[in-house]
């Protein structure tokens, strides 16, 4: 009877390390992530996708990854109008929100200046340190209803942005931005009043509250007229006669030689149907007298002054 052969001891085999991703795969991973984030990707996102720190470093040296902020990279030359804002949000994580002047610029509120090198970011919690190019604001009372998503960015809503800017902007500039936000349906008077009610006592709330009294913001006729005349002076256009009466009608601006009248309209949400029809009847009677009537709204004057200037100058040249 044959004896059983002894079993050989099992040899220990080292687990094979996963092969590093192919360089083309690294680029594909980075570009896929960046496509959702205005051309940006974070170091943590790359590592979670299987890209090693050594590969990241080589890509940085080669210029394939361009450092925007610490731990945040731009994919080569790819840029979008929101690259800096997105980079600032990625630098501080999910609790970060674009706020203050930067939020006003993203929302394109009247009076907001074009984005500059400083990005305003609010943190709802935590005590993080700022970074060059980012101004941090700690808004511990910020709630989810104060945050909206615009172009993939977390941004304070128009109502919250105006509340935060109230102590920083002059009353007239704040009033224009408020009126613009209401006309574009970014907020409502009721929403603004509710926001103000939740934050009574904060700096700027009294200034904002005065604008919300009655029917809301309203530029006076003299303010609109002053802005329009200043625009004409800058464009070196002959100034008109103002507040002149013709045939029982008072015209805001009138050029007698060109027989051109310009009427400056205030905020449209204050107008009612009767006022609208009254204005159109008035315009028709002036046209019957040989006077051309051009209406310019506060929104055109505030947001597209160059276009207004071209319209007026062109009409004057045509009539003459």
């Amino acid at each position: 009877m044959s004896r059983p052969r002894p079993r050989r001891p099992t040899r220990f085999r080292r687990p094979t390390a996963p092969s590093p991703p192919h360089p083309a795969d690294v680029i594909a991973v980075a570009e896929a992530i960046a496509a959702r984030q205005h051309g940006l990707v974070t170091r943590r996102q790359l590592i979670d996708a299987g890209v090693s720190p050594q590969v990241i470093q080589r890509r940085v040296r080669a210029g394939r990854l361009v450092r925007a902020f610490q731990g945040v990279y731009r994919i080569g030359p790819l840029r979008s109008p929101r690259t800096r804002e997105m980079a600032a949000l990625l630098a501080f994580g999910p609790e970060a929100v674009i706020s203050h002047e930067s939020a006003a610029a993203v929302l394109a509120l009247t009076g907001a200046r074009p984005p500059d090198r400083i990005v305003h970011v609010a943190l709802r919690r935590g005590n993080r340190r700022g970074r060059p190019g980012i101004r941090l604001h700690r808004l511990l009372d910020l709630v989810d209803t104060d945050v909206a998503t615009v172009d993939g960015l977390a941004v304070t809503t128009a109502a919250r942005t105006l509340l935060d800017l109230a102590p920083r902007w002059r009353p007239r500039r704040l009033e224009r931005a408020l009126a613009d936000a209401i006309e574009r349906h970014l907020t409502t008077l009721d929403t603004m009043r509710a926001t103000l009610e939740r934050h009574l006592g904060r700096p700027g709330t009294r200034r904002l509250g005065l604008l919300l009294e009655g029917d809301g913001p309203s530029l006076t006729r003299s303010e609109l007229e002053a802005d329009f005349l200043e625009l004409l002076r800058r464009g070196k256009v002959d100034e008109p006669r103002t507040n002149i009466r013709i045939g029982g009608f008072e015209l805001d601006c009138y050029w007698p030689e060109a027989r051109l009248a310009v009427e400056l309209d205030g905020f449209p949400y204050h107008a009612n149907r009767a006022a609208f029809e009254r204005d159109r009847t008035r315009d028709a009677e002036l046209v019957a007298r040989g006077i051309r009537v051009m209406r310019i709204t506060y929104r055109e004057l505030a947001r597209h002054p160059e276009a207004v200037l071209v319209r007026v100058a062109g009409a004057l040249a045509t009539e003459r």
Side-chain angles (χ1 to χ4, degrees), residues 92-154:
F92 286 95
E95 294 302 324
V97 180
I98 300 297
S99 66
H100 293 77
E101 280 82 358
S102 296
V106 171
L107 295 169
L109 294 179
T110 294
R113 297 187 176 91
D116 55 20
R117 294 187 59 82
I118 302 297
V119 181
H120 292 260
V121 173
L123 293 180
R124 288 184 265 190
R125 57 182 65 88
N127 189 23
R128 307 280 295 279
R129 297 179 60 184
R131 301 185 184 186
I134 299 176
R135 180 168 181 182
L136 277 184
H137 304 268
R138 290 174 177 82
L139 301 181
L140 303 182
D141 57 353
L142 199 67
V143 296
D144 289 343
T145 54
D146 290 332
V147 181
T149 301
V150 180
D151 289 341
L153 304 173

Side-chain angles (χ1 to χ4, degrees), residues 240-252:
R241 297 175 63 182
T242 58
N243 304 322
I244 182 173
R245 297 193 70 85
I246 295 180
F249 301 113
E250 184 174 330
L251 306 182
D252 292 339

Side-chain angles (χ1 to χ4, degrees), residues 11-18:
R11 296 180 61 183
F12 174 76
R13 294 184 179 180
R14 294 179 177 275
T16 56

Side-chain angles (χ1 to χ4, degrees), residues 45-221:
Q45 288 172 332
L46 289 173
I47 290 175
D48 290 345
V51 183
S52 70
Q54 293 77 14
V55 171
I56 294 174
Q57 189 59 35
R58 285 201 298 270
R59 293 287 159 179
V60 171
R61 287 197 298 265
R64 299 290 185 89
L65 295 174
V66 180
R67 186 174 180 271
F69 293 108
Q70 183 178 353
V72 182
Y73 304 102
R74 179 164 49 86
I75 304 298
L78 296 179
R79 292 187 69 88
S80 87
R82 304 298 185 203
T83 295
R84 286 194 62 79
E85 289 84 355
M86 178 58 80
L89 290 180
L90 292 174
F92 286 95
E95 294 302 324
V97 180
I98 300 297
S99 66
H100 293 77
E101 280 82 358
S102 296
V106 171
L107 295 169
L109 294 179
T110 294
R113 297 187 176 91
D116 55 20
R117 294 187 59 82
I118 302 297
V119 181
H120 292 260
V121 173
L123 293 180
R124 288 184 265 190
R125 57 182 65 88
N127 189 23
R128 307 280 295 279
R129 297 179 60 184
R131 301 185 184 186
I134 299 176
R135 180 168 181 182
L136 277 184
H137 304 268
R138 290 174 177 82
L139 301 181
L140 303 182
D141 57 353
L142 199 67
V143 296
D144 289 343
T145 54
D146 290 332
V147 181
T149 301
V150 180
D151 289 341
L153 304 173
V155 183
T156 51
T157 61
R160 178 63 198 230
T161 299
L162 291 167
L163 176 71
D164 294 333
L165 291 175
R168 305 160 69 93
W169 281 11
R170 293 186 177 183
R172 190 175 178 188
R173 185 181 179 192
L174 185 67
E175 182 179 30
R176 290 179 181 277
L178 173 60
D180 181 39
I182 293 172
E183 188 201 0
R184 292 165 55 204
H185 306 291
L186 298 178
T187 188
T188 65
L189 286 173
D190 289 341
T191 300
M192 288 301 311
R193 290 176 179 129
T195 301
L196 194 64
E197 186 70 24
R198 292 200 310 269
H199 301 282
L200 287 177
R202 278 192 48 172
T205 52
R206 183 176 180 275
R207 176 180 296 179
L208 190 58
L210 291 174
L211 298 179
L212 295 174
E213 290 181 351
D215 293 331
S218 60
L219 289 180
T220 65
R221 179 174 171 179

